[in-house]
Amino acid sequence: MTRDPRFDVLFEPIRIGPVTAKNRFYQVPHCNGMGSARANALVRLREIKAEGGWGVVCTEETSIEPDVDISPSVGLQLWDDGDLPLAAAIAAGIHRHGALAGVELMHYGPVAANRDSRGITMGPSCLPFPSRLDPIQPRAIDRADLRAIRESHRRAAKLAQRAGFDIIYVAAVHDATLPMHFLSRRHNDRSDEYGGPLENRVRLLRELIEDTKDAVGDRSAVAVRLAVDELLGPSGISCDGEGRDIVAMLAELPDLWDVNLSNWANDSQSSRFADEGFQEPYVRFVKSLTSKPVVGVGLFTSPDAMVSQIRRGVLDLIGAARPSIADPFLPRKIAEGRLDDIRECIGCNICVAAHRSSVSLRCTQNPTAGEEWRRDWHPEIIRRDSKGTVLIVGGGPTGLECALTLGRRGFDVTLAEASDEVGGRVTREARLPGLARWSRVRDYRLSQIRQQPNVAVYPSSTIDADYVLEAAPERVVIATGARWRRDGLGRSLRVAPPVSPGARILTPDDIFSGAIVTSPVVIYDDDHYYLGGVLAEKFRSEGHVTILVTPEAAPSAWTAWTLELGAIERRLKFLGIIIHRRHQLSSIADDSVRVTDLTTAREFALQAATTVLVTARVPRVELYATLDAIPEENRPFKSITRAGDCNAPGTIAAAVYAGHRVARELATAPYPALRERIRLER
Ligand code: ADP
Ligand code: SF4
């Protein structure tokens, strides 16, 4: 296949100071939970992006000195010569495929609690940082500190250049870097030439750009990553206020402007709250103030949307973090006219959650993310090494991914799904408010399966043990999912609450099947991820009086990891949903529920015509159990494996991963996972 000429503009080379990117696809800096702690994995992750066609591939945040330590979060370091081998390996891997290598140098300022290094935290002012609860205050930076910080940045820039990096960043982003803290009136109350009017507050950023240019000469480009809007209105940096003024003041100084929103939750909004191109209104002014190339992000997965950004003069380079994780080969697929093969990011932020919990990157759409080195999984290449027949029962994310991957390995695969639509929980949940893009998990896999003559999908096909014994496939994979509990057991309740016989109790499965809800509806959310909150949103928008009860301190509490918690709370509040935090379900009567305040132990009643229990799931394991109980000598099949939610209920990402792993390892010795080993210094 060949490239559609309307996308040619995306493949034009772009000059960035002294270097030239081969195209406009720019993988912006993004964290990944690997850093120097998982060095081999990191090198492979970045190399594969370059192989996938990105013109520029950047590192994650890279600290410039030991005392800007944000442990337990993991990142890269460029402190001294000892950091060169890893940095050089990353740059070399990127160069091997003709991409430019970028490095995001970072001083975290007052965000660095220095929990591990035990250094002194420093910031523009001696004010505790709002979003960090560590009981510390930064020392207000003095002149000697400033000289030392500038020297560290200069040294790190030189190291980066020696390691082979082509683009070296000064970062003022995410409300998490020192130059941004100096820019901000909220964090900077200094009275010297670095505080007060914006001309003063911008001084450190200007100096760091000049220092970096001076340090790297004319061999590497110097990029500035700037948050042009904090979505805080007049009290913060904004695109029609100081964000614009900062760009105007420094317009021609850097070789590239990488612009976005702050804080990270605003920058990496999930698809529940943001559409493709959502940052355009905030960043579009930048190009009118500078002749330098501008890169920006916004969940870009569609080449038409990318071309539109270029043609309309919004951006010069299409930045991507999440879309490059979901599909490291996105540029190549556009180049080769294989648009149907693009594995589009669904905007769920599971990748963000992995980094924030300091574990290797993972992705709902791309099960190989984070496993490129550890399990030697390539996102596009699977050895065609097998034959034989496999029956997969269940067409949810587990079954679909398993079928796709087994098909690629050469098996003759039959996938049977009981419902008239495949997709399992993805199909059901994507109908809920804000989750439509999750259907991409199903659609990508179905479109790939259709290209494989050796994989047949049969909807409306309920499989029982007799069928399996009669069909006698060589191998059986059970991916029958899980059902929601109806008895209230979950994280907080280990004994089922008393229920009166006339009570109307529904589970999420009932709602998916079209059960009617009557007002007032009480949701007891003991699951704590998105579903309780999304159902509340659905019921409220249908006009029901909606009450959400949660034993946690916040609704959908786990979404703190995916950076969605603030937006979810805001939405539930605006919709008028009544929330009882830190409350536990005690009993369910015909027209009410009793709940207990976990702080005071006080019990009281809430009116409830319908009670929806979002607590825990039970694996649908009956078919597996029946088949597995057959003595080995009587089985017509060689193996039976269960995977996904019917094995252990979890996230959609876990289901896709499970399906992929079973498929990679079926009828073969399991891949030994490689381990990162720390070398002892003495
Ligand atoms: P997972 O996340 O593990 O893929 P899902 O619940 O999303 O789990 O999907 C499981 C799918 O299996 C559902 O679509 C369900 O209809 C299907 N299923 C369950 N039991 C059977 C069966 N006996 N025969 C065919 N399909 C089944
Ligand atoms: Fe996109 Fe979700 Fe994958 Fe992150 S985890 S890259 S948001 S699909």
Side-chain angles (χ1 to χ4, degrees):
M1 277 186 270
T2 52
R3 177 166 91 214
D4 186 325
R6 73 180 197 277
F7 304 137
D8 285 354
V9 68
L10 298 173
F11 294 89
E12 290 170 353
I14 298 289
R15 200 156 175 77
I16 304 171
V19 296
T20 300
K22 67 177 177 184
N23 60 35
R24 296 182 190 260
F25 293 94
Y26 194 111
Q27 183 248 276
V28 293
H30 73 74
C31 292
N32 47 64
M34 292 168 174
S36 26
R38 299 184 175 100
N40 293 287
L42 183 59
V43 171
R44 191 77 184 118
L45 173 83
R46 298 299 184 203
E47 176 173 6
I48 279 187
K49 305 252 199 152
E51 187 190 343
W54 297 86
V56 178
V57 177
C58 296
T59 66
E60 64 269 59
E61 297 167 350
T62 302
S63 75
I64 60 171
E65 58 174 52
D67 282 349
V68 287
D69 156 32
I70 55 163
S71 304
S73 189
V74 289
L76 261 182
Q77 289 113 33
L78 268 175
W79 302 344
D80 56 35
D81 283 12
D83 296 314
L84 276 176
L86 172 55
I90 295 170
I94 295 168
H95 288 158
R96 203 165 291 135
H97 302 279
L100 297 178
V103 57
E104 186 184 34
L105 300 184
M106 196 69 110
H107 189 299
Y108 296 98
V111 167
N114 289 325
R115 292 175 187 154
D116 188 51
S117 74
R118 304 185 72 174
I120 298 294
T121 296
M122 291 199 275
S125 308
C126 182
L127 291 167
F129 200 74
S131 61
R132 289 285 190 282
L133 296 183
D134 297 70
I136 54 162
Q137 287 184 227
R139 183 176 86 211
I141 286 171
D142 63 20
R143 277 170 202 285
D145 297 328
L146 273 173
R147 275 196 300 278
I149 288 165
R150 288 178 60 183
E151 191 44 43
S152 293
H153 203 283
R154 187 188 279 269
R155 187 184 55 237
K158 284 187 169 155
L159 284 169
Q161 191 176 51
R162 279 171 60 203
F165 284 94
D166 310 284
I167 302 173
I168 297 170
Y169 270 75
V170 181
V173 277
H174 288 178
D175 202 20
T177 77
L178 189 65
M180 182 159 184
H181 301 133
F182 268 80
L183 289 172
S184 160
R185 277 171 284 141
R186 286 177 299 123
H187 303 311
N188 179 349
D189 70 353
R190 299 172 74 96
S191 53
D192 64 1
E193 69 271 31
Y194 288 89
L198 184 62
E199 290 72 17
N200 286 356
R201 283 180 277 130
V202 90
R203 192 177 307 276
L204 178 62
L205 177 57
R206 182 193 295 278
E207 287 173 346
L208 289 175
I209 303 169
E210 288 168 350
D211 289 346
T212 310
K213 292 201 97 161
D214 188 49
V216 302
D218 56 8
R219 279 197 295 125
S220 309
V222 175
V224 166
R225 200 167 197 212
L226 178 72
V228 294
D229 207 308
E230 298 182 275
L231 306 191
L232 290 174
S235 66
I237 292 167
S238 68
C239 62
D240 46 12
E242 292 192 338
R244 169 179 282 269
D245 298 340
I246 296 162
V247 177
M249 284 176 191
L250 305 174
E252 299 300 314
L253 203 50
D255 297 311
L256 172 118
W257 283 97
D258 176 346
V259 285
N260 62 9
L261 298 177
S262 182
N263 51 23
W264 190 11
N266 290 329
D267 191 26
S268 288
Q269 290 178 46
S270 71
S271 62
R272 191 169 159 191
F273 298 97
D275 291 327
E276 185 166 13
F278 69 96
Q279 300 209 8
E280 180 180 330
Y282 306 98
V283 304
R284 66 179 159 219
F285 77 88
V286 178
K287 266 185 65 62
S288 68
L289 297 179
T290 178
S291 67
K292 304 295 173 154
V294 177
V295 59
V297 292
L299 282 172
F300 291 118
T301 57
S302 138
D304 285 307
M306 298 175 194
V307 168
S308 165
Q309 294 284 310
I310 310 290
R311 295 267 183 243
R312 289 183 298 110
V314 181
L315 300 174
D316 298 298
L317 293 132
I318 303 301
R322 291 172 289 176
S324 78
I325 297 168
D327 196 341
F329 276 60
L330 191 151
R332 262 230 216 167
K333 289 175 182 176
I334 299 173
E336 293 167 3
R338 296 193 291 127
L339 303 194
D340 285 350
D341 293 348
I342 296 174
R343 201 166 39 236
E344 291 180 296
C345 168
I346 68 165
C348 62
N349 283 4
I350 282 292
C351 50
V352 173
H355 171 74
R356 284 165 56 76
S357 32
S358 303
V359 297
S360 297
L361 186 65
R362 64 204 53 194
C363 169
T364 300
Q365 274 285 57
N366 175 10
T368 68
E371 305 291 355
E372 299 86 348
W373 175 79
R374 185 162 66 175
R375 295 193 183 275
D376 193 21
W377 287 356
H378 190 283
E380 300 298 316
I381 302 168
I382 290 173
R383 272 192 308 274
R384 203 170 176 83
D385 60 358
S386 304
K387 48 185 196 293
T389 55
V390 184
L391 169 67
I392 301 174
V393 185
T398 308
L400 284 171
E401 175 63 25
C402 194
L404 171 60
T405 308
L406 285 175
R408 287 180 173 161
R409 282 191 58 201
F411 286 101
D412 285 312
V413 181
T414 301
L415 174 70
E417 163 55 47
S419 329
D420 52 1
E421 265 183 298
V422 294
R425 63 183 289 195
V426 163
T427 296
R428 296 190 293 272
E429 293 175 16
R431 296 197 180 106
L432 295 172
L435 303 187
R437 254 162 292 176
W438 291 21
S439 59
R440 290 172 170 182
V441 172
R442 173 199 62 207
D443 296 344
Y444 163 74
R445 286 168 179 82
L446 269 184
S447 86
Q448 298 298 294
I449 285 172
R450 281 195 199 105
Q451 296 174 28
Q452 296 190 55
N454 54 328
V455 182
V457 177
Y458 296 98
S460 307
S461 305
T462 302
I463 301 299
D464 58 18
D466 290 342
Y467 176 89
V468 177
L469 295 176
E470 199 175 308
E474 284 178 41
R475 298 181 187 277
V476 183
V477 176
I478 304 293
T480 44
R483 55 176 77 83
W484 286 93
R485 296 189 78 106
R486 200 174 283 282
D487 57 7
L489 262 60
R491 278 183 180 73
S492 67
L493 289 178
R494 288 295 195 260
V495 177
V499 176
S500 97
R504 181 164 170 71
I505 296 177
L506 298 177
T507 70
D509 294 320
D510 299 326
I511 307 293
F512 297 137
S513 307
I516 303 293
V517 167
T518 41
S519 270
V521 51
V522 170
I523 299 168
Y524 183 59
D525 182 6
D526 203 10
D527 170 61
H528 310 297
Y529 193 14
Y530 54 88
L531 196 57
V534 174
L535 287 175
E537 199 177 325
K538 171 182 158 67
F539 299 149
R540 187 69 195 114
S541 25
E542 288 166 357
H544 298 293
V545 174
T546 306
I547 302 154
L548 182 71
V549 179
T550 172
E552 281 297 317
S556 299
W558 195 80
T559 61
W561 295 104
T562 57
L563 293 174
E564 294 172 287
L565 181 56
I568 290 173
E569 287 203 82
R570 208 164 27 249
R571 179 164 290 176
L572 299 188
K573 236 189 179 138
F574 274 130
L575 285 171
I577 292 159
I578 302 154
I579 302 172
H580 291 280
R581 301 154 198 262
R582 303 280 298 130
H583 281 71
Q584 185 173 287
L585 185 64
S586 306
S587 61
I588 307 176
D590 289 359
D591 55 4
S592 65
V593 296
R594 292 191 72 77
V595 296
T596 305
D597 181 332
L598 290 170
T599 318
T600 61
R602 191 176 63 92
E603 197 184 287
F604 59 96
L606 295 168
Q607 280 264 297
T610 309
T611 303
V612 179
L613 296 174
V614 187
T615 59
R617 286 177 287 162
V618 185
R620 216 182 269 119
V621 79
E622 301 81 2
L623 179 59
Y624 174 82
T626 308
L627 292 170
D628 194 48
I630 301 172
E632 295 224 354
E633 59 278 15
N634 296 342
R635 293 179 182 181
F637 44 82
K638 289 185 191 154
S639 69
I640 178 163
T641 315
R642 59 176 159 165
D645 288 332
C646 77
N647 196 24
T651 58
I652 297 170
V656 171
Y657 178 82
H660 191 83
R661 185 163 174 191
V662 162
R664 289 260 190 181
E665 296 179 349
L666 198 73
T668 183
Y671 284 55
L674 297 176
R675 284 164 56 199
E676 304 274 359
R677 288 177 209 268
I678 309 281
R679 187 174 55 85
L680 291 176
E681 295 293 340
R682 61 176 85 84

